[in-house]
Amino acid sequence: MDIKEIKSIEDVAAFCKRKGFVFQGSEIYGGLAGFWDYGPLGTVLKNKIKQHWIKYFVQKRDDMVLIDGAIITREDVWKASGHVDSFKDAFSTCTKCKKVIRVDHLIEDQLKIPVEGLPIKELSNIIKKHKLVCTKCKGKLAEPKYFGLMFDVQVGPTNPTKAYLRPETCQTIFTNFKNVVNSSRVKLPFGITQIGKAFRNEIAPRDFLFRAREFEQLEIEYFVHPDKLSEFPYKIPNKSVNVLTAKEQIKKKPKLQKFKFKELFSKNLVKTKWHAYWIYQHYNWFLELGVSEKKLRFREHRPDELSHYSSATFDIEYEFPFGWKELGGNADRSQFDLSQHIKFSKEDLTYFDGEKKVVPAVVAEPSQGVSRAFLAVLLDAFKVDKDRIVLKFKQELAPIEVAVFPLVKKQHRELAREVYEMLREESLAFYDETGSIGKRYRRMDESGCPYCVTIDHDSIKKKDVTIRERDSMKQKRVKIKDLVEYLKD
Ligand code: ATP
């Protein structure tokens, strides 16, 4: 059955499968929970989102470099970062049906109280107090246990070295800090960004791409001289945003408040102007991707959920079909990570400022899952317009940029192929000669293609084509010789 509306995340998954955006990993063998394969359209969209990150944060700035670290990383890295000891979640098993349940999610879903960061004993007490049972069979739940979320690997055939698939990309930014400083002539303040795979053995992967076991991250670590945190050369635009503060979250009826981004600093919600600025930049990146402002808000981490390394963290949240959830995070990590790696590796990872050696402070860490950004972009683009589904992607994100159709296959194919071959030199073009012209338009609307070019009888005589625009469905005749310029405009 065709989906006419997105009501649930399952509808999104079904649509993505039908159109070739995303497929279940290992599907023909029954699937593997938490692993997804991107199809032809999805791969292009995902790559364009990553390219947009590079354009926005690297290409258009003077103070950012890009690296690409190894996925498999020595155990020492994760001992220093704190992951070996503390990157774990609590789970419980149903004593009857053996379903495995992530305990904090169970409590949050059933009781609507935030429990992120609470110790296992307290989680267990809440389950007992509220008599929470298995969500599948109502069976009694066993005492919760911790489960380490990192996938470990043994490297080499004899005396294997213990290593892990990285659970986040940022640590290789810290371990390469000195290499980047020595090789790239960067001067504080500057940032290092990385795009790459991360792996977490999530207890209960769910909500399609939202919580997967293999995913990609876009991360930035922004380093500032620790004695110059108040020297801030940029401007924070005079823009407001909805924020759910930590104080509000402990009230019975938490209220959203409007803050200007600069007020996050002036009202002491973050420690530096830098952090407020990077929270704005992360948000603005989403606006540039075409995500609508009313679907975005920020949530401040409560003191009980703040990570050990962070003095302030703000999550950017999106209104998914399953509620407001974390799209990305942005933490002030101060000197924690570099200091830890100095301690554990015994290497000198300091920065020489001309007078003395300092450990730079990470004033902000915009951290973004690619697949969560992918979902937000897709959900925001999805529109039902009378009898058609149309993905109104911004043009630069469209996985097919222009489609070319001969009106009648046999009569117009030759010229249509010529036009197609001309256009594909410049853009991601697609050729389609099957089905009625109406069906071909619909297929392209559902793929988010902004322009369809049709070659008909007049085209052969007059050397022109019809261009149909996706959103307005308006049609226009354009000379073939002007087509590339017209589409570029
Ligand atoms: P959550 O609370 O949802 O588990 P987190 O706070 O553990 O997320 P971080 O460690 O801050 O997430 O990771 C940074 C970003 O990486 C997240 O905001 C999200 O966009 C992405 N991310 C984290 N875990 C997953 C996952 N299992 N699947 C997809 N994306 C993820």
Side-chain angles (χ1 to χ4, degrees), residues 83 87 89 102 105 116 149 167-168 200 202 205 208-219 282 299 301 307 309 313 315-316 325-330 365 367-373:
H83 282 75
F87 196 53
D89 281 330
R102 188 168 149 183
H105 284 171
E116 199 169 327
L149 299 180
E168 60 182 24
R200 297 182 187 181
E202 296 276 358
F208 187 35
L209 301 174
F210 181 83
R211 187 169 303 287
R213 287 176 165 141
E214 174 176 343
F215 54 97
E216 276 172 284
Q217 286 186 317
L218 307 152
E219 292 198 297
H282 194 171
R299 188 182 73 79
H301 278 208
S307 303
Y309 52 74
T313 297
D315 285 347
I316 180 163
K325 292 278 175 221
E326 175 177 336
L327 189 54
N330 197 324
E365 181 204 49
S367 171
Q368 183 54 56
V370 177
S371 55
R372 291 191 190 177

Side-chain angles (χ1 to χ4, degrees), residues 352-369:
F352 184 63
D353 69 3
E355 284 172 13
K356 61 175 183 194
K357 287 177 169 185
V358 294
V359 177
V362 170
V363 287
E365 181 204 49
S367 171
Q368 183 54 56

Side-chain angles (χ1 to χ4, degrees), residues 306-475:
L306 266 185
S307 303
H308 52 286
Y309 52 74
S310 173
S311 58
T313 297
F314 278 76
D315 285 347
I316 180 163
E317 294 193 333
Y318 180 79
E319 192 178 18
F320 288 97
F322 43 92
W324 286 95
K325 292 278 175 221
E326 175 177 336
L327 189 54
N330 197 324
D332 177 336
R333 297 179 77 114
S334 64
Q335 294 164 300
F336 176 79
D337 301 271
L338 284 178
S339 305
Q340 283 292 101
H341 287 299
I342 291 170
K343 194 165 124 196
F344 278 72
S345 69
K346 314 256 178 318
E347 289 285 327
D348 179 7
L349 304 181
T350 54
Y351 174 94
F352 184 63
D353 69 3
E355 284 172 13
K356 61 175 183 194
K357 287 177 169 185
V358 294
V359 177
V362 170
V363 287
E365 181 204 49
S367 171
Q368 183 54 56
V370 177
S371 55
R372 291 191 190 177
F374 178 98
L375 273 181
V377 166
L378 193 89
L379 283 163
D380 254 48
F382 189 99
K383 302 279 179 287
V384 179
D385 185 1
K386 296 194 186 100
D387 61 339
R388 65 176 189 144
I389 290 175
V390 51
L391 294 184
K392 295 190 174 178
F393 291 129
K394 282 192 104 175
Q395 282 189 31
E396 63 261 40
L397 291 184
I400 299 174
E401 291 165 348
V402 59
V404 181
F405 311 146
L407 184 63
V408 181
K409 192 166 32 178
K410 281 197 182 134
Q411 293 167 24
H412 310 130
R413 177 189 276 154
E414 201 181 318
L415 183 56
R417 290 289 311 181
E418 254 178 50
V419 171
Y420 166 61
E421 273 157 33
M422 173 182 84
L423 290 179
R424 74 177 176 188
E425 290 292 319
E426 305 284 333
S427 55
L428 295 171
F430 181 77
Y431 177 80
D432 188 2
E433 57 179 26
T434 56
S436 71
I437 201 78
K439 277 207 178 118
R440 282 182 260 170
Y441 282 151
R442 293 291 176 272
R443 285 204 286 263
M444 285 303 103
D445 287 344
E446 291 185 345
S447 307
C449 171
Y451 296 106
C452 294
V453 170
T454 303
I455 283 79
D456 57 18
H457 201 63
D458 279 352
S459 307
I460 296 169
K461 283 187 275 173
K462 296 188 187 158
K463 299 277 176 249
D464 64 3
V465 297
T466 302
I467 295 189
R468 182 248 197 199
E469 201 264 332
R470 176 192 69 198
D471 298 350
S472 64
M473 294 197 280
K474 284 197 180 127
Q475 302 195 358

